[in-house]
Amino acid sequence: MSNHALLFIGAGLYLALGGIAGFVTINAILLLWLAIDRFRQDRNRLAMILIAVCALVLVVQQIGFVIVIVLISLGIYYLRARPQGAGNGESRHRLVLNMRQDRQSWVLHSMSFWHAFGEIRLDLSLAIPEEKETVIVLQGIVGNIDLIVPEDYGLDVEASTLLGQVGLGKQTEGGFLHRVRWRSPDYESKEQKVKLQLFYLVGNIRIRPI
């Protein structure tokens, strides 16, 4: 009986939202959600292509809404581009951001990026930090973020997605309007600290202590 009730409620919401936003938009959002979930499970390339296609459909179908979101997102970016403690870190905005630092040693410094679409993989265990406390701010419309953080680092995390998933260690939660706020209990006493501020409209965020 409960399954039938949920089915009727789901069908009603689908028809109502489809009538308001358009069925193409609603279908694109549903497919986007499924594609993000599939990509999180096995990094499937087809799922990544579907994410890009659905995002493009949403842009085309709701161009006015997308423009508003981009402007708001840019405004938030500029407010957070130089957060307290970030020093003179790198600060940029790009349409597409593809950043990989997971194969050899690299220099870790505070940074702040806004982008429309991006894939970012950072292995901090391979990094040579410039500061005792590093601030990393990543914001965008669609993003796939994979961060590896050594367990001996003090970690301060603030991450949120309008649609998508946020994983911290072995715990992963997802859905609509999801937010994670967490800080190492011994953060202040750690010799090396990192603050992560991650904000996406559609995102798959993984933070893995090792």
Side-chain angles (χ1 to χ4, degrees), residues 71-121:
L71 291 175
I72 293 173
S73 183
L74 276 170
I76 294 173
Y77 164 76
Y78 282 116
L79 287 174
R80 294 180 176 269
R82 292 294 177 87
Q84 186 177 3
N88 295 318
E90 183 179 11
S91 179
R92 298 182 183 178
H93 56 276
R94 296 179 177 178
L95 179 61
V96 178
L97 178 63
N98 186 8
M99 182 189 301
R100 296 200 62 167
Q101 297 284 7
D102 61 348
R103 297 178 181 175
Q104 59 186 9
S105 298
W106 56 288
V107 177
L108 173 64
H109 52 77
S110 292
M111 64 183 78
S112 180
F113 285 97
W114 180 92
H115 56 90
F117 305 96
E119 183 164 2
I120 299 165
R121 179 178 171 85

mmCIF file of all heavy atoms in Angstrom, residues 71-121:
data_model
loop_
_atom_site.group_PDB
_atom_site.id
_atom_site.type_symbol
_atom_site.label_atom_id
_atom_site.label_comp_id
_atom_site.label_asym_id
_atom_site.label_seq_id
_atom_site.Cartn_x
_atom_site.Cartn_y
_atom_site.Cartn_z
ATOM 1 N N LEU A 71 25.094 34.348 -12.519
ATOM 2 C CA LEU A 71 25.377 35.644 -11.901
ATOM 3 C C LEU A 71 25.439 35.527 -10.381
ATOM 4 O O LEU A 71 26.330 36.097 -9.733
ATOM 5 C CB LEU A 71 24.307 36.657 -12.316
ATOM 6 C CG LEU A 71 24.320 37.084 -13.797
ATOM 7 C CD1 LEU A 71 23.144 37.995 -14.097
ATOM 8 C CD2 LEU A 71 25.635 37.777 -14.147
ATOM 9 N N ILE A 72 24.492 34.778 -9.803
ATOM 10 C CA ILE A 72 24.518 34.578 -8.353
ATOM 11 C C ILE A 72 25.772 33.821 -7.933
ATOM 12 O O ILE A 72 26.442 34.172 -6.956
ATOM 13 C CB ILE A 72 23.257 33.815 -7.889
ATOM 14 C CG1 ILE A 72 22.014 34.684 -8.081
ATOM 15 C CG2 ILE A 72 23.390 33.386 -6.428
ATOM 16 C CD1 ILE A 72 20.712 33.964 -7.810
ATOM 17 N N SER A 73 26.099 32.785 -8.705
ATOM 18 C CA SER A 73 27.287 31.987 -8.401
ATOM 19 C C SER A 73 28.557 32.818 -8.493
ATOM 20 O O SER A 73 29.461 32.707 -7.661
ATOM 21 C CB SER A 73 27.357 30.790 -9.355
ATOM 22 O OG SER A 73 28.454 29.970 -9.055
ATOM 23 N N LEU A 74 28.625 33.677 -9.511
ATOM 24 C CA LEU A 74 29.787 34.557 -9.641
ATOM 25 C C LEU A 74 29.868 35.532 -8.473
ATOM 26 O O LEU A 74 30.961 35.820 -7.959
ATOM 27 C CB LEU A 74 29.715 35.333 -10.963
ATOM 28 C CG LEU A 74 30.255 34.620 -12.205
ATOM 29 C CD1 LEU A 74 29.903 35.406 -13.456
ATOM 30 C CD2 LEU A 74 31.753 34.403 -12.112
ATOM 31 N N GLY A 75 28.699 36.030 -8.055
ATOM 32 C CA GLY A 75 28.688 36.935 -6.913
ATOM 33 C C GLY A 75 29.209 36.266 -5.660
ATOM 34 O O GLY A 75 30.025 36.831 -4.923
ATOM 35 N N ILE A 76 28.757 35.013 -5.423
ATOM 36 C CA ILE A 76 29.248 34.259 -4.264
ATOM 37 C C ILE A 76 30.737 34.002 -4.394
ATOM 38 O O ILE A 76 31.494 34.084 -3.418
ATOM 39 C CB ILE A 76 28.482 32.930 -4.141
ATOM 40 C CG1 ILE A 76 27.013 33.201 -3.821
ATOM 41 C CG2 ILE A 76 29.101 32.042 -3.061
ATOM 42 C CD1 ILE A 76 26.147 31.958 -3.859
ATOM 43 N N TYR A 77 31.172 33.717 -5.627
ATOM 44 C CA TYR A 77 32.605 33.472 -5.858
ATOM 45 C C TYR A 77 33.441 34.684 -5.451
ATOM 46 O O TYR A 77 34.437 34.557 -4.737
ATOM 47 C CB TYR A 77 32.844 33.139 -7.329
ATOM 48 C CG TYR A 77 34.307 33.243 -7.725
ATOM 49 C CD1 TYR A 77 35.195 32.248 -7.366
ATOM 50 C CD2 TYR A 77 34.781 34.352 -8.420
ATOM 51 C CE1 TYR A 77 36.536 32.342 -7.709
ATOM 52 C CE2 TYR A 77 36.112 34.454 -8.764
ATOM 53 C CZ TYR A 77 36.983 33.448 -8.409
ATOM 54 O OH TYR A 77 38.304 33.558 -8.734
ATOM 55 N N TYR A 78 33.037 35.848 -5.913
ATOM 56 C CA TYR A 78 33.830 37.035 -5.605
ATOM 57 C C TYR A 78 33.793 37.370 -4.115
ATOM 58 O O TYR A 78 34.743 37.917 -3.574
ATOM 59 C CB TYR A 78 33.344 38.215 -6.440
ATOM 60 C CG TYR A 78 33.843 38.152 -7.863
ATOM 61 C CD1 TYR A 78 32.943 38.010 -8.914
ATOM 62 C CD2 TYR A 78 35.205 38.198 -8.150
ATOM 63 C CE1 TYR A 78 33.396 37.931 -10.224
ATOM 64 C CE2 TYR A 78 35.651 38.108 -9.458
ATOM 65 C CZ TYR A 78 34.751 37.982 -10.483
ATOM 66 O OH TYR A 78 35.209 37.893 -11.774
ATOM 67 N N LEU A 79 32.685 37.013 -3.442
ATOM 68 C CA LEU A 79 32.639 37.223 -2.001
ATOM 69 C C LEU A 79 33.583 36.288 -1.262
ATOM 70 O O LEU A 79 34.148 36.637 -0.226
ATOM 71 C CB LEU A 79 31.205 37.003 -1.489
ATOM 72 C CG LEU A 79 30.188 38.087 -1.839
ATOM 73 C CD1 LEU A 79 28.797 37.658 -1.391
ATOM 74 C CD2 LEU A 79 30.559 39.419 -1.178
ATOM 75 N N ARG A 80 33.774 35.092 -1.813
ATOM 76 C CA ARG A 80 34.602 34.088 -1.162
ATOM 77 C C ARG A 80 35.959 33.913 -1.825
ATOM 78 O O ARG A 80 36.748 33.070 -1.406
ATOM 79 C CB ARG A 80 33.888 32.728 -1.166
ATOM 80 C CG ARG A 80 32.634 32.691 -0.322
ATOM 81 C CD ARG A 80 32.009 31.319 -0.387
ATOM 82 N NE ARG A 80 30.852 31.223 0.486
ATOM 83 C CZ ARG A 80 30.897 30.835 1.738
ATOM 84 N NH1 ARG A 80 32.056 30.515 2.283
ATOM 85 N NH2 ARG A 80 29.800 30.763 2.468
ATOM 86 N N ALA A 81 36.245 34.659 -2.860
ATOM 87 C CA ALA A 81 37.470 34.448 -3.628
ATOM 88 C C ALA A 81 38.721 34.600 -2.789
ATOM 89 O O ALA A 81 39.722 33.941 -3.006
ATOM 90 C CB ALA A 81 37.518 35.422 -4.811
ATOM 91 N N ARG A 82 38.685 35.492 -1.796
ATOM 92 C CA ARG A 82 39.816 35.665 -0.896
ATOM 93 C C ARG A 82 39.354 35.487 0.551
ATOM 94 O O ARG A 82 39.239 36.435 1.297
ATOM 95 C CB ARG A 82 40.442 37.049 -1.081
ATOM 96 C CG ARG A 82 41.123 37.251 -2.415
ATOM 97 C CD ARG A 82 42.345 36.345 -2.543
ATOM 98 N NE ARG A 82 42.960 36.479 -3.863
ATOM 99 C CZ ARG A 82 43.877 37.397 -4.159
ATOM 100 N NH1 ARG A 82 44.260 38.264 -3.247
ATOM 101 N NH2 ARG A 82 44.409 37.442 -5.362
ATOM 102 N N PRO A 83 39.009 34.244 0.918
ATOM 103 C CA PRO A 83 38.507 34.028 2.268
ATOM 104 C C PRO A 83 39.575 34.305 3.308
ATOM 105 O O PRO A 83 40.758 34.341 3.005
ATOM 106 C CB PRO A 83 38.132 32.534 2.273
ATOM 107 C CG PRO A 83 38.992 31.943 1.209
ATOM 108 C CD PRO A 83 39.167 33.013 0.159
ATOM 109 N N GLN A 84 39.131 34.500 4.566
ATOM 110 C CA GLN A 84 40.067 34.771 5.639
ATOM 111 C C GLN A 84 41.067 33.636 5.747
ATOM 112 O O GLN A 84 40.711 32.471 5.801
ATOM 113 C CB GLN A 84 39.318 34.914 6.968
ATOM 114 C CG GLN A 84 40.215 35.331 8.118
ATOM 115 C CD GLN A 84 39.424 35.543 9.387
ATOM 116 O OE1 GLN A 84 38.221 35.316 9.407
ATOM 117 N NE2 GLN A 84 40.094 35.967 10.434
ATOM 118 N N GLY A 85 42.345 33.993 5.752
ATOM 119 C CA GLY A 85 43.395 33.000 5.846
ATOM 120 C C GLY A 85 43.937 32.562 4.513
ATOM 121 O O GLY A 85 44.885 31.798 4.431
ATOM 122 N N ALA A 86 43.334 33.026 3.396
ATOM 123 C CA ALA A 86 43.784 32.583 2.082
ATOM 124 C C ALA A 86 45.032 33.297 1.621
ATOM 125 O O ALA A 86 45.672 32.881 0.671
ATOM 126 C CB ALA A 86 42.664 32.791 1.055
ATOM 127 N N GLY A 87 45.372 34.404 2.271
ATOM 128 C CA GLY A 87 46.590 35.119 1.896
ATOM 129 C C GLY A 87 46.523 35.617 0.468
ATOM 130 O O GLY A 87 45.513 36.125 0.009
ATOM 131 N N ASN A 88 47.633 35.448 -0.245
ATOM 132 C CA ASN A 88 47.704 35.888 -1.639
ATOM 133 C C ASN A 88 47.551 34.707 -2.585
ATOM 134 O O ASN A 88 48.245 34.605 -3.592
ATOM 135 C CB ASN A 88 49.040 36.607 -1.887
ATOM 136 C CG ASN A 88 49.156 37.885 -1.087
ATOM 137 O OD1 ASN A 88 48.195 38.641 -0.991
ATOM 138 N ND2 ASN A 88 50.311 38.116 -0.488
ATOM 139 N N GLY A 89 46.682 33.785 -2.238
ATOM 140 C CA GLY A 89 46.501 32.587 -3.043
ATOM 141 C C GLY A 89 45.968 32.887 -4.433
ATOM 142 O O GLY A 89 45.424 33.944 -4.707
ATOM 143 N N GLU A 90 46.113 31.900 -5.310
ATOM 144 C CA GLU A 90 45.652 32.013 -6.688
ATOM 145 C C GLU A 90 44.132 32.123 -6.729
ATOM 146 O O GLU A 90 43.417 31.402 -6.043
ATOM 147 C CB GLU A 90 46.111 30.768 -7.456
ATOM 148 C CG GLU A 90 45.757 30.780 -8.930
ATOM 149 C CD GLU A 90 46.254 29.530 -9.626
ATOM 150 O OE1 GLU A 90 46.668 28.585 -8.937
ATOM 151 O OE2 GLU A 90 46.218 29.514 -10.869
ATOM 152 N N SER A 91 43.622 33.043 -7.549
ATOM 153 C CA SER A 91 42.188 33.273 -7.645
ATOM 154 C C SER A 91 41.815 33.490 -9.109
ATOM 155 O O SER A 91 42.306 34.424 -9.737
ATOM 156 C CB SER A 91 41.785 34.483 -6.797
ATOM 157 O OG SER A 91 40.400 34.720 -6.893
ATOM 158 N N ARG A 92 40.943 32.625 -9.648
ATOM 159 C CA ARG A 92 40.583 32.712 -11.073
ATOM 160 C C ARG A 92 39.147 32.263 -11.279
ATOM 161 O O ARG A 92 38.551 31.618 -10.419
ATOM 162 C CB ARG A 92 41.495 31.817 -11.928
ATOM 163 C CG ARG A 92 42.968 32.166 -11.904
ATOM 164 C CD ARG A 92 43.736 31.240 -12.819
ATOM 165 N NE ARG A 92 45.170 31.484 -12.776
ATOM 166 C CZ ARG A 92 46.069 30.780 -13.462
ATOM 167 N NH1 ARG A 92 45.665 29.792 -14.246
ATOM 168 N NH2 ARG A 92 47.357 31.047 -13.361
ATOM 169 N N HIS A 93 38.603 32.599 -12.463
ATOM 170 C CA HIS A 93 37.340 32.021 -12.887
ATOM 171 C C HIS A 93 37.484 31.586 -14.337
ATOM 172 O O HIS A 93 38.105 32.258 -15.151
ATOM 173 C CB HIS A 93 36.167 32.995 -12.706
ATOM 174 C CG HIS A 93 36.342 34.316 -13.396
ATOM 175 N ND1 HIS A 93 37.039 35.362 -12.848
ATOM 176 C CD2 HIS A 93 35.889 34.740 -14.598
ATOM 177 C CE1 HIS A 93 37.010 36.393 -13.681
ATOM 178 N NE2 HIS A 93 36.318 36.038 -14.743
ATOM 179 N N ARG A 94 36.897 30.414 -14.630
ATOM 180 C CA ARG A 94 37.025 29.821 -15.961
ATOM 181 C C ARG A 94 35.703 29.185 -16.363
ATOM 182 O O ARG A 94 34.898 28.813 -15.514
ATOM 183 C CB ARG A 94 38.120 28.745 -15.963
ATOM 184 C CG ARG A 94 39.516 29.261 -15.671
ATOM 185 C CD ARG A 94 40.512 28.129 -15.667
ATOM 186 N NE ARG A 94 41.872 28.592 -15.449
ATOM 187 C CZ ARG A 94 42.931 27.801 -15.353
ATOM 188 N NH1 ARG A 94 42.775 26.492 -15.474
ATOM 189 N NH2 ARG A 94 44.134 28.310 -15.153
ATOM 190 N N LEU A 95 35.515 29.054 -17.683
ATOM 191 C CA LEU A 95 34.337 28.353 -18.176
ATOM 192 C C LEU A 95 34.470 26.858 -17.902
ATOM 193 O O LEU A 95 33.552 26.211 -17.393
ATOM 194 C CB LEU A 95 34.153 28.599 -19.673
ATOM 195 C CG LEU A 95 32.951 27.903 -20.321
ATOM 196 C CD1 LEU A 95 31.652 28.380 -19.698
ATOM 197 C CD2 LEU A 95 32.942 28.135 -21.832
ATOM 198 N N VAL A 96 35.641 26.291 -18.242
ATOM 199 C CA VAL A 96 35.908 24.871 -18.028
ATOM 200 C C VAL A 96 37.209 24.739 -17.267
ATOM 201 O O VAL A 96 38.206 25.357 -17.623
ATOM 202 C CB VAL A 96 36.003 24.095 -19.366
ATOM 203 C CG1 VAL A 96 36.325 22.624 -19.110
ATOM 204 C CG2 VAL A 96 34.703 24.229 -20.155
ATOM 205 N N LEU A 97 37.202 23.925 -16.217
ATOM 206 C CA LEU A 97 38.398 23.711 -15.414
ATOM 207 C C LEU A 97 38.680 22.215 -15.328
ATOM 208 O O LEU A 97 37.851 21.437 -14.889
ATOM 209 C CB LEU A 97 38.197 24.286 -14.005
ATOM 210 C CG LEU A 97 39.366 24.082 -13.026
ATOM 211 C CD1 LEU A 97 40.616 24.795 -13.506
ATOM 212 C CD2 LEU A 97 38.973 24.563 -11.628
ATOM 213 N N ASN A 98 39.863 21.827 -15.764
ATOM 214 C CA ASN A 98 40.313 20.439 -15.673
ATOM 215 C C ASN A 98 41.649 20.449 -14.936
ATOM 216 O O ASN A 98 42.668 20.839 -15.494
ATOM 217 C CB ASN A 98 40.448 19.827 -17.059
ATOM 218 C CG ASN A 98 40.774 18.335 -16.998
ATOM 219 O OD1 ASN A 98 40.760 17.736 -15.919
ATOM 220 N ND2 ASN A 98 41.069 17.734 -18.124
ATOM 221 N N MET A 99 41.627 20.041 -13.669
ATOM 222 C CA MET A 99 42.823 20.117 -12.844
ATOM 223 C C MET A 99 43.124 18.746 -12.252
ATOM 224 O O MET A 99 42.300 18.175 -11.537
ATOM 225 C CB MET A 99 42.625 21.146 -11.724
ATOM 226 C CG MET A 99 43.844 21.329 -10.827
ATOM 227 S SD MET A 99 43.474 22.361 -9.364
ATOM 228 C CE MET A 99 42.924 23.875 -10.154
ATOM 229 N N ARG A 100 44.322 18.234 -12.541
ATOM 230 C CA ARG A 100 44.739 16.946 -11.980
ATOM 231 C C ARG A 100 46.136 17.080 -11.407
ATOM 232 O O ARG A 100 47.078 17.457 -12.099
ATOM 233 C CB ARG A 100 44.710 15.849 -13.036
ATOM 234 C CG ARG A 100 43.334 15.552 -13.582
ATOM 235 C CD ARG A 100 43.263 14.189 -14.224
ATOM 236 N NE ARG A 100 43.545 13.126 -13.266
ATOM 237 C CZ ARG A 100 43.302 11.832 -13.520
ATOM 238 N NH1 ARG A 100 42.784 11.473 -14.670
ATOM 239 N NH2 ARG A 100 43.589 10.930 -12.615
ATOM 240 N N GLN A 101 46.223 16.777 -10.116
ATOM 241 C CA GLN A 101 47.504 16.754 -9.425
ATOM 242 C C GLN A 101 47.519 15.488 -8.566
ATOM 243 O O GLN A 101 47.313 15.520 -7.369
ATOM 244 C CB GLN A 101 47.676 18.004 -8.543
ATOM 245 C CG GLN A 101 47.709 19.319 -9.290
ATOM 246 C CD GLN A 101 49.039 19.563 -9.989
ATOM 247 O OE1 GLN A 101 49.913 18.694 -10.026
ATOM 248 N NE2 GLN A 101 49.206 20.745 -10.553
ATOM 249 N N ASP A 102 47.755 14.346 -9.217
ATOM 250 C CA ASP A 102 47.678 13.075 -8.497
ATOM 251 C C ASP A 102 48.702 12.050 -8.962
ATOM 252 O O ASP A 102 48.584 10.860 -8.662
ATOM 253 C CB ASP A 102 46.269 12.486 -8.627
ATOM 254 C CG ASP A 102 45.881 12.201 -10.074
ATOM 255 O OD1 ASP A 102 46.588 12.666 -10.995
ATOM 256 O OD2 ASP A 102 44.874 11.502 -10.289
ATOM 257 N N ARG A 103 49.718 12.515 -9.686
ATOM 258 C CA ARG A 103 50.680 11.560 -10.231
ATOM 259 C C ARG A 103 52.124 11.848 -9.848
ATOM 260 O O ARG A 103 52.975 10.981 -9.953
ATOM 261 C CB ARG A 103 50.553 11.511 -11.755
ATOM 262 C CG ARG A 103 49.178 11.005 -12.215
ATOM 263 C CD ARG A 103 49.053 10.998 -13.707
ATOM 264 N NE ARG A 103 47.724 10.544 -14.125
ATOM 265 C CZ ARG A 103 47.301 10.527 -15.381
ATOM 266 N NH1 ARG A 103 48.103 10.941 -16.361
ATOM 267 N NH2 ARG A 103 46.091 10.091 -15.666
ATOM 268 N N GLN A 104 52.391 13.063 -9.422
ATOM 269 C CA GLN A 104 53.748 13.424 -9.033
ATOM 270 C C GLN A 104 53.695 14.578 -8.037
ATOM 271 O O GLN A 104 52.641 15.160 -7.785
ATOM 272 C CB GLN A 104 54.565 13.826 -10.255
ATOM 273 C CG GLN A 104 53.985 15.002 -11.027
ATOM 274 C CD GLN A 104 54.741 15.267 -12.321
ATOM 275 O OE1 GLN A 104 55.590 14.498 -12.728
ATOM 276 N NE2 GLN A 104 54.427 16.370 -12.972
ATOM 277 N N SER A 105 54.848 14.880 -7.442
ATOM 278 C CA SER A 105 54.903 15.945 -6.441
ATOM 279 C C SER A 105 54.476 17.283 -7.041
ATOM 280 O O SER A 105 54.741 17.566 -8.207
ATOM 281 C CB SER A 105 56.321 16.056 -5.881
ATOM 282 O OG SER A 105 56.698 14.854 -5.233
ATOM 283 N N TRP A 106 53.806 18.091 -6.229
ATOM 284 C CA TRP A 106 53.365 19.399 -6.684
ATOM 285 C C TRP A 106 53.312 20.344 -5.490
ATOM 286 O O TRP A 106 53.313 19.920 -4.336
ATOM 287 C CB TRP A 106 52.001 19.320 -7.375
ATOM 288 C CG TRP A 106 50.907 18.719 -6.554
ATOM 289 C CD1 TRP A 106 50.741 17.407 -6.212
ATOM 290 C CD2 TRP A 106 49.796 19.410 -5.951
ATOM 291 N NE1 TRP A 106 49.620 17.230 -5.443
ATOM 292 C CE2 TRP A 106 49.014 18.432 -5.262
ATOM 293 C CE3 TRP A 106 49.392 20.734 -5.939
ATOM 294 C CZ2 TRP A 106 47.861 18.766 -4.575
ATOM 295 C CZ3 TRP A 106 48.228 21.066 -5.253
ATOM 296 C CH2 TRP A 106 47.483 20.084 -4.584
ATOM 297 N N VAL A 107 53.297 21.633 -5.766
ATOM 298 C CA VAL A 107 53.312 22.654 -4.722
ATOM 299 C C VAL A 107 51.879 23.028 -4.366
ATOM 300 O O VAL A 107 51.090 23.411 -5.234
ATOM 301 C CB VAL A 107 54.099 23.905 -5.165
ATOM 302 C CG1 VAL A 107 54.038 24.979 -4.089
ATOM 303 C CG2 VAL A 107 55.546 23.532 -5.477
ATOM 304 N N LEU A 108 51.531 22.902 -3.085
ATOM 305 C CA LEU A 108 50.193 23.224 -2.603
ATOM 306 C C LEU A 108 50.169 24.639 -2.037
ATOM 307 O O LEU A 108 50.960 24.976 -1.162
ATOM 308 C CB LEU A 108 49.783 22.228 -1.516
ATOM 309 C CG LEU A 108 48.470 22.521 -0.780
ATOM 310 C CD1 LEU A 108 47.282 22.461 -1.731
ATOM 311 C CD2 LEU A 108 48.284 21.541 0.373
ATOM 312 N N HIS A 109 49.277 25.456 -2.560
ATOM 313 C CA HIS A 109 49.093 26.809 -2.046
ATOM 314 C C HIS A 109 47.608 27.131 -2.034
ATOM 315 O O HIS A 109 46.796 26.443 -2.671
ATOM 316 C CB HIS A 109 49.847 27.825 -2.904
ATOM 317 C CG HIS A 109 49.536 27.725 -4.372
ATOM 318 N ND1 HIS A 109 48.377 28.222 -4.924
ATOM 319 C CD2 HIS A 109 50.233 27.161 -5.396
ATOM 320 C CE1 HIS A 109 48.363 27.978 -6.225
ATOM 321 N NE2 HIS A 109 49.472 27.332 -6.545
ATOM 322 N N SER A 110 47.225 28.163 -1.316
ATOM 323 C CA SER A 110 45.824 28.559 -1.279
ATOM 324 C C SER A 110 45.347 28.936 -2.674
ATOM 325 O O SER A 110 46.083 29.542 -3.459
ATOM 326 C CB SER A 110 45.635 29.748 -0.325
ATOM 327 O OG SER A 110 45.865 29.354 1.007
ATOM 328 N N MET A 111 44.109 28.557 -2.987
ATOM 329 C CA MET A 111 43.577 28.816 -4.334
ATOM 330 C C MET A 111 42.065 28.988 -4.259
ATOM 331 O O MET A 111 41.412 28.480 -3.341
ATOM 332 C CB MET A 111 43.924 27.661 -5.278
ATOM 333 C CG MET A 111 43.296 26.333 -4.900
ATOM 334 S SD MET A 111 43.795 24.962 -5.991
ATOM 335 C CE MET A 111 45.427 24.609 -5.344
ATOM 336 N N SER A 112 41.531 29.715 -5.230
ATOM 337 C CA SER A 112 40.101 29.935 -5.317
ATOM 338 C C SER A 112 39.707 29.945 -6.787
ATOM 339 O O SER A 112 40.213 30.753 -7.564
ATOM 340 C CB SER A 112 39.725 31.266 -4.650
ATOM 341 O OG SER A 112 38.338 31.493 -4.737
ATOM 342 N N PHE A 113 38.801 29.020 -7.177
ATOM 343 C CA PHE A 113 38.374 28.911 -8.567
ATOM 344 C C PHE A 113 36.856 28.909 -8.660
ATOM 345 O O PHE A 113 36.178 28.227 -7.880
ATOM 346 C CB PHE A 113 38.890 27.616 -9.198
ATOM 347 C CG PHE A 113 40.350 27.637 -9.541
ATOM 348 C CD1 PHE A 113 41.278 27.081 -8.682
ATOM 349 C CD2 PHE A 113 40.798 28.203 -10.724
ATOM 350 C CE1 PHE A 113 42.623 27.080 -8.989
ATOM 351 C CE2 PHE A 113 42.136 28.216 -11.046
ATOM 352 C CZ PHE A 113 43.057 27.652 -10.181
ATOM 353 N N TRP A 114 36.331 29.667 -9.610
ATOM 354 C CA TRP A 114 34.946 29.527 -10.030
ATOM 355 C C TRP A 114 34.972 29.015 -11.468
ATOM 356 O O TRP A 114 35.764 29.461 -12.295
ATOM 357 C CB TRP A 114 34.194 30.857 -10.000
ATOM 358 C CG TRP A 114 32.753 30.691 -10.430
ATOM 359 C CD1 TRP A 114 31.685 30.458 -9.628
ATOM 360 C CD2 TRP A 114 32.243 30.694 -11.774
ATOM 361 N NE1 TRP A 114 30.540 30.321 -10.375
ATOM 362 C CE2 TRP A 114 30.848 30.459 -11.698
ATOM 363 C CE3 TRP A 114 32.830 30.855 -13.033
ATOM 364 C CZ2 TRP A 114 30.038 30.392 -12.823
ATOM 365 C CZ3 TRP A 114 32.012 30.795 -14.170
ATOM 366 C CH2 TRP A 114 30.634 30.575 -14.055
ATOM 367 N N HIS A 115 34.099 28.041 -11.775
ATOM 368 C CA HIS A 115 34.036 27.526 -13.148
ATOM 369 C C HIS A 115 32.626 27.041 -13.432
ATOM 370 O O HIS A 115 31.862 26.699 -12.515
ATOM 371 C CB HIS A 115 35.047 26.387 -13.348
ATOM 372 C CG HIS A 115 34.869 25.258 -12.373
ATOM 373 N ND1 HIS A 115 34.061 24.179 -12.613
ATOM 374 C CD2 HIS A 115 35.401 25.059 -11.150
ATOM 375 C CE1 HIS A 115 34.097 23.349 -11.587
ATOM 376 N NE2 HIS A 115 34.900 23.862 -10.674
ATOM 377 N N ALA A 116 32.279 27.007 -14.717
ATOM 378 C CA ALA A 116 30.969 26.499 -15.108
ATOM 379 C C ALA A 116 30.957 24.974 -15.044
ATOM 380 O O ALA A 116 30.080 24.364 -14.441
ATOM 381 C CB ALA A 116 30.603 26.992 -16.504
ATOM 382 N N PHE A 117 31.945 24.349 -15.686
ATOM 383 C CA PHE A 117 32.062 22.899 -15.712
ATOM 384 C C PHE A 117 33.491 22.527 -15.340
ATOM 385 O O PHE A 117 34.438 23.165 -15.797
ATOM 386 C CB PHE A 117 31.726 22.343 -17.103
ATOM 387 C CG PHE A 117 30.367 22.759 -17.608
ATOM 388 C CD1 PHE A 117 30.242 23.857 -18.445
ATOM 389 C CD2 PHE A 117 29.234 22.068 -17.236
ATOM 390 C CE1 PHE A 117 28.993 24.264 -18.902
ATOM 391 C CE2 PHE A 117 27.989 22.475 -17.685
ATOM 392 C CZ PHE A 117 27.867 23.569 -18.522
ATOM 393 N N GLY A 118 33.639 21.471 -14.547
ATOM 394 C CA GLY A 118 34.992 21.126 -14.169
ATOM 395 C C GLY A 118 35.145 19.733 -13.612
ATOM 396 O O GLY A 118 34.204 19.138 -13.092
ATOM 397 N N GLU A 119 36.369 19.210 -13.753
ATOM 398 C CA GLU A 119 36.756 17.950 -13.142
ATOM 399 C C GLU A 119 38.080 18.183 -12.441
ATOM 400 O O GLU A 119 39.068 18.581 -13.073
ATOM 401 C CB GLU A 119 36.868 16.828 -14.165
ATOM 402 C CG GLU A 119 37.211 15.497 -13.524
ATOM 403 C CD GLU A 119 36.964 14.306 -14.444
ATOM 404 O OE1 GLU A 119 36.552 14.531 -15.597
ATOM 405 O OE2 GLU A 119 37.188 13.170 -13.998
ATOM 406 N N ILE A 120 38.109 17.928 -11.134
ATOM 407 C CA ILE A 120 39.278 18.268 -10.325
ATOM 408 C C ILE A 120 39.660 17.063 -9.476
ATOM 409 O O ILE A 120 38.813 16.483 -8.778
ATOM 410 C CB ILE A 120 38.993 19.480 -9.414
ATOM 411 C CG1 ILE A 120 38.642 20.693 -10.276
ATOM 412 C CG2 ILE A 120 40.186 19.781 -8.509
ATOM 413 C CD1 ILE A 120 38.004 21.821 -9.514
ATOM 414 N N ARG A 121 40.923 16.695 -9.531
ATOM 415 C CA ARG A 121 41.443 15.604 -8.698
ATOM 416 C C ARG A 121 42.762 16.063 -8.098
ATOM 417 O O ARG A 121 43.737 16.304 -8.835
ATOM 418 C CB ARG A 121 41.634 14.330 -9.515
ATOM 419 C CG ARG A 121 42.188 13.163 -8.698
ATOM 420 C CD ARG A 121 42.313 11.912 -9.536
ATOM 421 N NE ARG A 121 43.025 10.872 -8.834
ATOM 422 C CZ ARG A 121 42.483 10.011 -7.975
ATOM 423 N NH1 ARG A 121 41.199 10.096 -7.716
ATOM 424 N NH2 ARG A 121 43.216 9.089 -7.381
#
